[in-house]
């Protein structure tokens, strides 16, 4: 398939220069269903990006669409602030019965605002309020959002520079395997905590992604996560897991930390929690941490009732019987086999991942962008990640069929060969 870039006149003349994804995918998209998008010229694209992980159940999922249309047609509440509504009650009941209780998780649920960074800001604010301390530890190559508090615990220098002011009260520590196994886990962190001359203010919390998505698909080992939880408990720090991109089944289990057998004090969710790409986020925390005063943290769009409707429908449809986790792990094995073959053919490449999030990295950091550009020409949407955009990132919908997944993987392999 040969794709001719369209004339993007109004986008180029009126929209801000800050736009990014559209630069790598110069098409005007018109329709989408499942794992495919179609542009206004009728070209079809297989989607291995899934709205940056916000479309785990695919585009316009028919089960969720039906629930949404029914709700809108009966004039259900759309905007509700934090008012009690039937849609919110249905979501909370479903979330408790399908997700929390089967996993023996005791969390209270907070609706902090519509996006992931809103959830992170709430988590940081709550941790500081509970502990009465300001410092929060994050990890190298972390990404937690674009608002100021979230940027302060984000590692990427380019994104941090956009703040325009000093980013304070955050301290980075080495993520798992940052020193290629040459330094014992948490040696530096513990030394700083115990040394009265280190200059490290005792942290209120530690925030971590179990798999760093934007940071380059860096996968933390289960034993590293367990050791981190133990360190937090021993040093009186709260453990926050940012599950915004890796939660809602992306790594297999509903929460990405399930495999490690840990129970974070605070968890943030967004992206695919609504199931349909509608803005929604959650901040979950242990009941003893619920020290908020009424209205102390709020937001106009924290009551997106159509998102509650699709979220409840997604949980009922995909998480009530345990099959989604098995399917995701099986699809992940399918990806892994292709990755092994690609890396066997190209010794400059290596891969890593879990479930249905994978990264393909090359010795030449510019290669990933070339692969993604060629994949687009061949009808496959891929994006890069990592501090130098050096990793090809795979985030297909969890509902993708084995045949569609195989098609996309063959296209990826072709793009790698044709950019060698």
């Amino acid at each position: 398939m040969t794709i001719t870039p369209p004339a993007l006149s109004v986008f180029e003349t009126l929209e801000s220069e800050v736009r990014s994804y559209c630069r790598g995918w110069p098409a005007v998209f018109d329709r989408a269903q499942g794992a495919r998008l179609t542009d206004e010229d009728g070209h079809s694209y297989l989607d291995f990006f899934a709205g940056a992980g916000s479309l785990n159940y695919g585009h316009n999922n028919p089960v969720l669409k039906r629930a949404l249309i029914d709700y809108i047609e009966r004039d259900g509440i759309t905007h509700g602030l934090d008012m009690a509504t039937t849609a919110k009650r249905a979501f909370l009941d479903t979330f408790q019965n399908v997700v929390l209780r089967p996993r023996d998780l005791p969390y209270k649920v907070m609706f902090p605002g519509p996006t992931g960074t809103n959830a992170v800001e709430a988590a940081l604010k709550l941790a500081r309020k509970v502990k009465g301390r300001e410092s929060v530890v994050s990890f190298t190559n972390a990404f937690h959002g674009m608002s100021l508090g979230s940027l302060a615990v984000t590692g990427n220098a380019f994104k941090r520079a956009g703040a325009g002011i000093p980013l304070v009260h955050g301290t980075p520590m080495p993520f798992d395997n940052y020193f290629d196994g040459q330094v014992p886990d948490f040696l530096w962190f513990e030394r700083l905590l115990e040394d009265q001359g280190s200059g490290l203010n005792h942290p209120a919390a530690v925030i971590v992604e179990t798999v760093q998505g934007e940071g380059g698909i860096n996968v933390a080992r289960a034993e590293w996560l367990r050791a981190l939880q133990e360190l937090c408990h021993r040093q009186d720090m709260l453990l926050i897991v940012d599950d915004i991109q890796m939660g809602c089944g992306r790594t297999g289990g509903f929460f990405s930390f399930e495999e490690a057998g840990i129970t974070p004090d605070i968890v943030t969710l967004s992206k695919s929690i609504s199931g349909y790409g509608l803005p929604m986020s959650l901040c979950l925390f242990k009941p003893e941490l619920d020290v908020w005063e009424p209205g102390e943290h709020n937001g106009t769009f924290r009551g997106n009732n159509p998102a509650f409707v699709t979220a409840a429908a997604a949980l009922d449809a995909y998480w009530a019987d345990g099959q989604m986790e098995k399917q995701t792990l099986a699809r992940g094995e399918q990806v892994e086999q292709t990755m092994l073959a690609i890396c066997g053919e190209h010794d400059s490449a290596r891969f890593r991942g879990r479930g249905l999030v994978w990264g393909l990295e090359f010795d030449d950091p510019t290669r990933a962008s070339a692969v993604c550009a060629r994949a687009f020409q061949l009808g496959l949407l891929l994006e890069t990640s990592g501090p130098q955009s050096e990793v090809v990132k795979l985030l297909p919908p969890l509902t993708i069929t084995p045949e569609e997944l195989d098609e996309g993987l063959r296209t990826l392999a072709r793009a790698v060969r044709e950019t060698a």
Side-chain angles (χ1 to χ4, degrees), residues 224-256:
W224 186 86
L225 292 168
R226 288 192 290 269
L228 177 61
Q229 177 177 259
E230 194 277 330
L231 174 62
C232 287
H233 289 171
R234 184 158 33 87
Q235 293 286 352
D236 187 34
M237 303 178 295
L238 296 178
L239 177 60
I240 304 169
V241 167
D242 180 340
D243 233 5
I244 287 166
Q245 188 167 84
M246 298 304 156
C248 302
R250 176 54 57 180
T251 65
F254 186 85
F255 295 106
S256 70

Short mmCIF file of all heavy atoms in Angstrom, two decimals, residues 224-256:
data_model
loop_
_atom_site.label_atom_id
_atom_site.label_comp_id
_atom_site.label_asym_id
_atom_site.label_seq_id
_atom_site.Cartn_x
_atom_site.Cartn_y
_atom_site.Cartn_z
N TRP A 224 12.19 -7.46 42.56
CA TRP A 224 12.58 -6.06 42.80
C TRP A 224 11.41 -5.28 43.37
O TRP A 224 11.57 -4.49 44.30
CB TRP A 224 13.05 -5.45 41.48
CG TRP A 224 13.62 -4.07 41.58
CD1 TRP A 224 14.92 -3.72 41.86
CD2 TRP A 224 12.93 -2.82 41.37
NE1 TRP A 224 15.07 -2.35 41.85
CE2 TRP A 224 13.86 -1.76 41.54
CE3 TRP A 224 11.61 -2.49 41.05
CZ2 TRP A 224 13.52 -0.43 41.41
CZ3 TRP A 224 11.26 -1.15 40.93
CH2 TRP A 224 12.21 -0.13 41.11
N LEU A 225 10.22 -5.50 42.84
CA LEU A 225 9.03 -4.81 43.34
C LEU A 225 8.72 -5.23 44.78
O LEU A 225 8.33 -4.41 45.61
CB LEU A 225 7.84 -5.10 42.43
CG LEU A 225 7.94 -4.48 41.03
CD1 LEU A 225 6.88 -5.06 40.12
CD2 LEU A 225 7.81 -2.96 41.10
N ARG A 226 8.88 -6.51 45.08
CA ARG A 226 8.64 -6.97 46.45
C ARG A 226 9.65 -6.34 47.42
O ARG A 226 9.29 -5.94 48.53
CB ARG A 226 8.71 -8.50 46.52
CG ARG A 226 7.51 -9.19 45.88
CD ARG A 226 7.46 -10.66 46.21
NE ARG A 226 8.52 -11.42 45.56
CZ ARG A 226 8.40 -11.99 44.36
NH1 ARG A 226 7.27 -11.88 43.69
NH2 ARG A 226 9.40 -12.68 43.85
N ALA A 227 10.90 -6.25 46.99
CA ALA A 227 11.92 -5.63 47.83
C ALA A 227 11.64 -4.14 48.02
O ALA A 227 11.88 -3.58 49.10
CB ALA A 227 13.31 -5.84 47.22
N LEU A 228 11.11 -3.50 46.98
CA LEU A 228 10.76 -2.08 47.10
C LEU A 228 9.64 -1.90 48.11
O LEU A 228 9.68 -0.98 48.94
CB LEU A 228 10.35 -1.53 45.73
CG LEU A 228 9.87 -0.08 45.71
CD1 LEU A 228 10.97 0.86 46.18
CD2 LEU A 228 9.39 0.31 44.31
N GLN A 229 8.62 -2.75 48.05
CA GLN A 229 7.53 -2.66 49.03
C GLN A 229 8.05 -2.84 50.45
O GLN A 229 7.67 -2.10 51.37
CB GLN A 229 6.45 -3.69 48.72
CG GLN A 229 5.32 -3.69 49.75
CD GLN A 229 4.21 -4.67 49.41
OE1 GLN A 229 3.17 -4.28 48.91
NE2 GLN A 229 4.44 -5.94 49.67
N GLU A 230 8.94 -3.81 50.63
CA GLU A 230 9.49 -4.07 51.96
C GLU A 230 10.29 -2.88 52.46
O GLU A 230 10.21 -2.49 53.63
CB GLU A 230 10.36 -5.33 51.90
CG GLU A 230 10.72 -5.91 53.26
CD GLU A 230 11.92 -5.21 53.90
OE1 GLU A 230 12.80 -4.72 53.13
OE2 GLU A 230 11.98 -5.12 55.14
N LEU A 231 11.06 -2.26 51.55
CA LEU A 231 11.84 -1.07 51.92
C LEU A 231 10.92 0.07 52.33
O LEU A 231 11.18 0.77 53.33
CB LEU A 231 12.71 -0.65 50.73
CG LEU A 231 13.49 0.66 50.87
CD1 LEU A 231 14.49 0.58 52.03
CD2 LEU A 231 14.21 1.00 49.57
N CYS A 232 9.84 0.26 51.59
CA CYS A 232 8.89 1.32 51.92
C CYS A 232 8.27 1.10 53.30
O CYS A 232 8.15 2.04 54.10
CB CYS A 232 7.80 1.41 50.86
SG CYS A 232 8.33 2.12 49.29
N HIS A 233 7.89 -0.13 53.58
CA HIS A 233 7.29 -0.43 54.89
C HIS A 233 8.31 -0.19 56.00
O HIS A 233 7.97 0.40 57.05
CB HIS A 233 6.81 -1.88 54.92
CG HIS A 233 5.61 -2.12 54.07
ND1 HIS A 233 5.12 -3.39 53.82
CD2 HIS A 233 4.80 -1.27 53.40
CE1 HIS A 233 4.05 -3.30 53.03
NE2 HIS A 233 3.85 -2.02 52.76
N ARG A 234 9.53 -0.61 55.78
CA ARG A 234 10.58 -0.49 56.81
C ARG A 234 10.96 0.96 57.07
O ARG A 234 11.30 1.33 58.19
CB ARG A 234 11.78 -1.32 56.35
CG ARG A 234 12.93 -1.39 57.33
CD ARG A 234 13.83 -2.60 57.08
NE ARG A 234 13.94 -2.96 55.69
CZ ARG A 234 14.84 -2.44 54.84
NH1 ARG A 234 15.68 -1.52 55.26
NH2 ARG A 234 14.90 -2.83 53.58
N GLN A 235 10.90 1.79 56.03
CA GLN A 235 11.33 3.18 56.16
C GLN A 235 10.16 4.16 56.27
O GLN A 235 10.36 5.36 56.10
CB GLN A 235 12.20 3.53 54.94
CG GLN A 235 13.52 2.79 54.87
CD GLN A 235 14.54 3.32 55.88
OE1 GLN A 235 14.31 4.34 56.55
NE2 GLN A 235 15.66 2.63 56.01
N ASP A 236 8.97 3.67 56.53
CA ASP A 236 7.80 4.53 56.74
C ASP A 236 7.53 5.44 55.53
O ASP A 236 7.35 6.64 55.66
CB ASP A 236 7.96 5.38 58.00
CG ASP A 236 6.69 6.16 58.36
OD1 ASP A 236 5.59 5.64 58.11
OD2 ASP A 236 6.82 7.30 58.86
N MET A 237 7.52 4.82 54.35
CA MET A 237 7.18 5.54 53.12
C MET A 237 6.01 4.82 52.46
O MET A 237 5.92 3.59 52.50
CB MET A 237 8.37 5.55 52.15
CG MET A 237 9.64 6.15 52.72
SD MET A 237 11.05 6.11 51.56
CE MET A 237 11.32 4.32 51.39
N LEU A 238 5.11 5.57 51.85
CA LEU A 238 4.00 4.97 51.13
C LEU A 238 4.48 4.52 49.75
O LEU A 238 5.31 5.18 49.12
CB LEU A 238 2.85 5.97 50.98
CG LEU A 238 2.19 6.43 52.28
CD1 LEU A 238 1.10 7.45 51.98
CD2 LEU A 238 1.62 5.25 53.06
N LEU A 239 3.93 3.42 49.27
CA LEU A 239 4.25 2.92 47.93
C LEU A 239 3.09 3.24 47.00
O LEU A 239 1.96 2.79 47.21
CB LEU A 239 4.49 1.41 47.96
CG LEU A 239 4.75 0.75 46.59
CD1 LEU A 239 5.99 1.36 45.92
CD2 LEU A 239 4.90 -0.76 46.73
N ILE A 240 3.39 4.04 45.97
CA ILE A 240 2.41 4.40 44.95
C ILE A 240 2.77 3.66 43.67
O ILE A 240 3.90 3.80 43.18
CB ILE A 240 2.41 5.92 44.66
CG1 ILE A 240 2.18 6.72 45.94
CG2 ILE A 240 1.37 6.27 43.60
CD1 ILE A 240 2.44 8.22 45.77
N VAL A 241 1.85 2.90 43.12
CA VAL A 241 2.06 2.29 41.81
C VAL A 241 1.24 3.05 40.79
O VAL A 241 0.01 3.16 40.91
CB VAL A 241 1.69 0.79 41.80
CG1 VAL A 241 1.61 0.26 40.37
CG2 VAL A 241 2.72 -0.01 42.58
N ASP A 242 1.92 3.60 39.81
CA ASP A 242 1.27 4.28 38.69
C ASP A 242 0.92 3.21 37.65
O ASP A 242 1.78 2.74 36.93
CB ASP A 242 2.22 5.33 38.11
CG ASP A 242 1.62 6.09 36.93
OD1 ASP A 242 0.66 5.59 36.32
OD2 ASP A 242 2.14 7.17 36.60
N ASP A 243 -0.36 2.84 37.61
CA ASP A 243 -0.83 1.79 36.70
C ASP A 243 -1.67 2.39 35.58
O ASP A 243 -2.57 1.73 35.05
CB ASP A 243 -1.64 0.75 37.48
CG ASP A 243 -1.12 -0.67 37.24
OD1 ASP A 243 -0.08 -0.82 36.56
OD2 ASP A 243 -1.74 -1.63 37.73
N ILE A 244 -1.37 3.62 35.22
CA ILE A 244 -2.21 4.33 34.26
C ILE A 244 -2.14 3.68 32.88
O ILE A 244 -3.16 3.47 32.23
CB ILE A 244 -1.80 5.82 34.21
CG1 ILE A 244 -2.29 6.50 35.49
CG2 ILE A 244 -2.36 6.51 32.98
CD1 ILE A 244 -1.68 7.85 35.75
N GLN A 245 -0.94 3.33 32.42
CA GLN A 245 -0.82 2.68 31.11
C GLN A 245 -0.76 1.16 31.22
O GLN A 245 -1.25 0.47 30.33
CB GLN A 245 0.42 3.19 30.37
CG GLN A 245 0.49 2.70 28.92
CD GLN A 245 1.52 3.45 28.11
OE1 GLN A 245 2.70 3.12 28.13
NE2 GLN A 245 1.08 4.46 27.36
N MET A 246 -0.21 0.63 32.29
CA MET A 246 -0.01 -0.81 32.39
C MET A 246 -1.13 -1.53 33.14
O MET A 246 -1.16 -2.76 33.18
CB MET A 246 1.33 -1.11 33.07
CG MET A 246 2.51 -0.58 32.30
SD MET A 246 2.55 -1.21 30.60
CE MET A 246 3.51 0.08 29.79
N GLY A 247 -2.07 -0.77 33.71
CA GLY A 247 -3.20 -1.40 34.37
C GLY A 247 -4.30 -1.76 33.39
O GLY A 247 -4.13 -1.66 32.17
N CYS A 248 -5.44 -2.17 33.92
CA CYS A 248 -6.59 -2.57 33.10
C CYS A 248 -6.21 -3.69 32.13
O CYS A 248 -6.70 -3.72 30.98
CB CYS A 248 -7.18 -1.37 32.36
SG CYS A 248 -7.70 -0.04 33.45
N GLY A 249 -5.34 -4.58 32.57
CA GLY A 249 -5.06 -5.81 31.82
C GLY A 249 -3.92 -5.77 30.85
O GLY A 249 -3.63 -6.78 30.21
N ARG A 250 -3.22 -4.66 30.70
CA ARG A 250 -2.19 -4.56 29.67
C ARG A 250 -1.08 -5.61 29.84
O ARG A 250 -0.55 -6.14 28.85
CB ARG A 250 -1.60 -3.14 29.70
CG ARG A 250 -0.45 -2.86 28.76
CD ARG A 250 -0.72 -3.19 27.32
NE ARG A 250 -1.87 -2.50 26.74
CZ ARG A 250 -2.26 -2.67 25.47
NH1 ARG A 250 -1.61 -3.51 24.68
NH2 ARG A 250 -3.32 -2.04 25.01
N THR A 251 -0.71 -5.93 31.08
CA THR A 251 0.37 -6.90 31.30
C THR A 251 -0.15 -8.31 31.58
O THR A 251 0.65 -9.22 31.78
CB THR A 251 1.28 -6.46 32.46
OG1 THR A 251 0.53 -6.49 33.68
CG2 THR A 251 1.85 -5.07 32.24
N GLY A 252 -1.45 -8.49 31.60
CA GLY A 252 -2.04 -9.80 31.89
C GLY A 252 -3.11 -9.67 32.95
O GLY A 252 -4.31 -9.66 32.66
N GLY A 253 -2.69 -9.56 34.22
CA GLY A 253 -3.65 -9.32 35.30
C GLY A 253 -4.26 -7.94 35.19
O GLY A 253 -3.72 -7.06 34.51
N PHE A 254 -5.38 -7.72 35.87
CA PHE A 254 -6.02 -6.41 35.77
C PHE A 254 -5.07 -5.32 36.23
O PHE A 254 -4.94 -4.27 35.59
CB PHE A 254 -7.31 -6.36 36.59
CG PHE A 254 -8.06 -5.08 36.41
CD1 PHE A 254 -8.93 -4.93 35.35
CD2 PHE A 254 -7.88 -4.00 37.27
CE1 PHE A 254 -9.61 -3.72 35.14
CE2 PHE A 254 -8.56 -2.80 37.08
CZ PHE A 254 -9.41 -2.66 36.01
N PHE A 255 -4.38 -5.55 37.37
CA PHE A 255 -3.34 -4.65 37.83
C PHE A 255 -1.98 -5.23 37.46
O PHE A 255 -1.75 -6.44 37.59
CB PHE A 255 -3.41 -4.44 39.34
CG PHE A 255 -4.65 -3.75 39.82
CD1 PHE A 255 -5.66 -4.47 40.46
CD2 PHE A 255 -4.83 -2.39 39.64
CE1 PHE A 255 -6.81 -3.83 40.92
CE2 PHE A 255 -5.97 -1.74 40.09
CZ PHE A 255 -6.97 -2.46 40.72
N SER A 256 -1.06 -4.38 37.07
CA SER A 256 0.25 -4.88 36.65
C SER A 256 1.08 -5.41 37.80
O SER A 256 2.03 -6.15 37.60
CB SER A 256 1.03 -3.77 35.93
OG SER A 256 1.43 -2.76 36.83
#
